[in-house]
Amino acid sequence: MTGINRRGLLKGSIFGMAAAGASVIPVAVQAQAAAPVKTEEYDVVVIGCGCAGMAAALEAADKGAKVVILEKMSRPAGNTIFAGGHFNATNTYVQKAQGLQDTIDDFYRDMMIVSQQRGDKALTRQYCEMSGSAIQWLTDECGVKFKPIVVEVFPGLNRGHVVDGKLKPGGAQLSKQMLDTVKAKKIPVLFNTKVISLIGDNRLHVLGCRAVNEDDEAVDFMAKGGVVICTGGFHANKEMVCRYMGGDVAWMPIRGSNVLQGENITLTMPFNPKYVNMDQFHAGPIHGPTRANPSTMVNYGVLLKEDGTRFLDEAETYVSVAQKMPKIIPNNWAFIIIDSQVVDVPTVKARIDRYKRAKAPIYTGNTIEEMAKAANLPVEQVVSVIKEYNDAVKAGKANTLTPPNTLEKPRLIEKGPFMAFPFQGGMTATFGGPMITAKSEVLNNDDKPIPGLYAAGNALGGIFYHDYIVGSQLTAAVIWGRIAGEQAAARAGAKQG
């Protein structure tokens, strides 16, 4: 190693062809690349055709940029299509139409409470301030309609905007309408096109990316304004989940897409980005075998283990319930018990319908005994636990139970028929990834933007920690997707000027 310094070694191993055209491709790939590589030039290249990617592409196109979306699957297949279609936002036209009151300061306070004060403060404030315009943009740009808001328990409150439409879940409807808008604007979407590396120069500026198309050909997509990473996180990559979160978590069933393999990390790593919150993830209830998703229904009844005992405060968010289950319950199975008093609540009705559509088991009975027997739960234990719970609720002492129920208005379980919904704690998405600026620029480990590299959606890190208010990820995807598209388009224009 005499005479070879670290800088020289870095150039030789990662940027061996920098002087001839500047490509950031592993040496092993370079050695095998014998055939000439086709090159296509755009102003903005977006990787990933989910909510964030399509928002970025639409915004860039509206700013006059020549943009392309590269998607490794044959159709949009990320978390968007599996999402319930919730958007968490304030100061929206939907709220105003219903006379619902809220403030940005209250919203910011609640977002920070849920993130245990560890969500990036500046980005969280920006989220709160821009959430209303995200809802408006979806309606104006893509024709997205929202159902009337149903006021929920803390922290959802009156901020949950659910996409309306024929397709279920709401995320599928959202994806269709956004993709229809992308097509109407004649933005090319190249499916079955997998990005294998970013292209950069010896200054660590991003110039584009290399992908393999559906004909198994390598193509370099050069981007004058920049590349926008919208690949989602790494929750379907078991090795990465084990590395950053531990083996117990890796056994959780997947609630979202099973194709999100961590390209937000593997593609960006050669540029030394600042990764944050890599051990954090979003979880939620799921019936793993059928993928039926009860989500916030955990707040409308009683949560029981298979031994018939309660195990968590029913005021916990559905995310917190799912995150804790594998640590409390070795086999990660439990039940949501409700009675007929809540079945017509829109939130509950929608989740019962999810179980029915998925043909997931729902155990019913006109009495607690019948329901417990149908679910193969210990009858006497369940009857005793429900009686103790109901007595405490009626006495106004639910918060003295073990565990307590700290809901402002705990739900009684006393009017048949009764229903039991089996579920597991599942993983939805990871919170970790490259830290960004307010302009969606990816930061390096020196807290400086990496020129030409942007991130949005679940691909970025810093906004969420521990938990989030339901609907926050889709809203954030639109906010920073649009910002990334706008910034990359402006950078392309500046270069042309």
Side-chain angles (χ1 to χ4, degrees):
M1 297 294 287
T2 304
I4 302 179
N5 59 25
R6 182 178 180 276
R7 183 183 181 91
L9 180 61
L10 182 65
K11 283 187 177 181
S13 60
I14 301 179
F15 304 111
M17 299 179 69
S23 64
V24 181
I25 301 171
V27 173
V29 176
Q30 291 179 356
Q32 296 170 13
V37 177
K38 179 181 176 182
T39 299
E40 297 185 15
E41 292 190 0
Y42 293 88
D43 293 325
V44 180
V45 174
V46 178
I47 307 175
C49 192
C51 179
M54 288 189 280
L58 288 168
E59 192 68 28
D62 286 347
K63 296 297 186 291
K66 180 184 178 183
V67 59
V68 65
I69 300 175
L70 309 180
E71 170 56 53
K72 68 179 182 179
M73 304 305 292
S74 61
R75 61 179 177 82
N79 269 1
T80 299
I81 62 170
F82 295 98
H86 265 81
F87 284 82
N88 177 39
T90 194
N91 285 357
T92 69
Y93 76 89
V94 185
Q95 287 177 319
K96 292 172 184 176
Q98 292 183 231
L100 300 173
Q101 301 296 315
D102 194 19
T103 69
I104 289 174
D105 286 343
D106 287 345
F107 193 19
Y108 173 77
R109 178 201 62 213
D110 295 344
M111 289 280 286
M112 294 305 297
I113 288 173
V114 171
S115 74
Q116 297 182 338
Q117 307 299 323
R118 291 186 176 182
D120 183 84
K121 293 179 173 57
L123 293 178
T124 302
R125 171 64 69 171
Q126 183 181 7
Y127 172 105
C128 296
E129 292 173 349
M130 299 187 70
S131 62
S133 62
I135 298 297
Q136 189 70 56
W137 180 83
L138 283 167
T139 298
D140 294 345
E141 182 82 357
C142 304
V144 174
K145 296 180 180 180
F146 295 93
K147 298 178 181 180
I149 293 172
V150 176
V151 179
E152 301 279 7
V153 300
F154 178 87
L157 303 178
N158 60 9
R159 301 161 183 148
H161 300 68
V162 181
V163 173
D164 198 5
K166 294 181 179 179
L167 297 182
K168 306 296 179 186
Q173 180 71 34
L174 171 72
S175 184
K176 181 182 185 304
Q177 290 188 240
M178 294 188 78
L179 186 58
D180 286 347
T181 307
V182 166
K183 292 178 179 178
K185 292 181 180 289
K186 301 187 185 307
I187 298 170
V189 183
L190 305 184
F191 292 107
N192 297 308
T193 302
K194 181 177 177 59
V195 175
I196 59 174
S197 63
L198 297 180
I199 299 171
D201 61 19
N202 57 5
R203 302 169 299 167
L204 291 181
H205 292 199
V206 174
L207 307 178
C209 64
R210 176 167 291 186
V212 176
N213 65 18
E214 61 184 347
D215 296 320
D216 202 29
E217 299 171 332
V219 182
D220 286 349
F221 294 88
M222 308 307 293
K224 295 177 183 177
V227 175
V228 185
I229 303 285
C230 300
T231 57
F234 56 86
H235 70 263
N237 186 319
K238 295 299 184 185
E239 186 277 330
M240 294 181 76
V241 170
C242 286
R243 187 196 319 170
Y244 294 113
M245 300 166 187
D248 290 344
V249 175
W251 284 99
M252 296 175 74
I254 293 175
R255 298 175 78 238
S257 171
N258 61 5
V259 302
L260 302 185
Q261 296 289 330
E263 289 93 338
N264 62 327
I265 308 302
T266 57
L267 292 177
T268 60
M269 190 169 286
F271 295 84
N272 299 320
K274 180 179 182 179
Y275 296 130
V276 296
N277 300 349
M278 296 297 285
D279 63 336
Q280 299 295 303
F281 65 96
H282 179 278
I286 192 75
H287 183 261
T290 65
R291 296 177 72 91
N293 175 11
S295 65
T296 52
M297 192 162 65
V298 297
N299 302 125
Y300 285 84
V302 171
L303 303 180
L304 298 183
K305 295 190 293 184
E306 290 180 322
D307 65 4
T309 61
R310 291 176 58 247
F311 64 98
L312 277 176
D313 184 348
E314 286 82 5
E316 297 254 17
T317 67
Y318 74 93
V319 177
S320 181
V321 169
Q323 286 175 336
K324 293 177 179 179
M325 277 183 62
K327 300 182 185 301
I328 298 173
I329 306 172
N331 74 351
N332 192 24
W333 276 103
F335 292 83
I336 303 168
I337 311 297
I338 64 171
D339 74 358
S340 62
Q341 297 179 88
V342 298
V343 295
D344 291 324
V345 175
T347 297
V348 176
K349 185 177 185 302
R351 281 137 185 86
I352 294 174
D353 289 343
R354 290 179 185 177
Y355 265 66
K356 290 180 178 179
R357 283 198 306 272
K359 298 182 179 180
I362 302 173
Y363 302 106
T364 63
N366 290 322
T367 65
I368 296 292
E369 291 89 342
E370 287 180 6
M371 179 271 297
K373 185 175 181 180
N376 199 29
L377 292 170
V379 175
E380 292 184 5
Q381 177 70 24
V382 171
V383 170
S384 174
V385 167
I386 297 298
K387 182 180 185 306
E388 178 188 23
Y389 168 84
N390 284 336
D391 289 345
V393 171
K394 291 176 181 178
K397 296 182 178 181
N399 62 347
T400 66
L401 290 165
T402 303
N405 181 312
T406 60
L407 284 169
E408 184 178 350
K409 296 180 179 179
R411 308 278 181 172
L412 287 166
I413 310 296
E414 61 178 1
K415 184 179 179 181
F418 304 91
M419 308 172 81
F421 299 81
F423 74 100
Q424 300 163 279
M427 182 179 287
T428 315
T430 48
F431 290 163
M435 183 69 182
I436 62 165
T437 69
K439 296 181 179 181
S440 280
E441 304 158 302
V442 172
L443 289 171
N444 64 20
N445 280 317
D446 296 319
D447 285 325
K448 295 179 180 179
I450 299 171
L453 185 58
Y454 304 86
N458 286 345
L460 62 83
I463 302 171
F464 304 120
Y465 186 94
H466 175 64
D467 194 355
Y468 63 62
I469 302 174
V470 61
S472 295
Q473 284 198 314
L474 284 180
T475 310
V478 171
I479 291 171
W480 279 283
R482 292 182 64 201
I483 291 172
E486 179 183 37
Q487 291 297 316
R491 187 169 181 266
K495 280 189 172 184
Q496 292 170 355

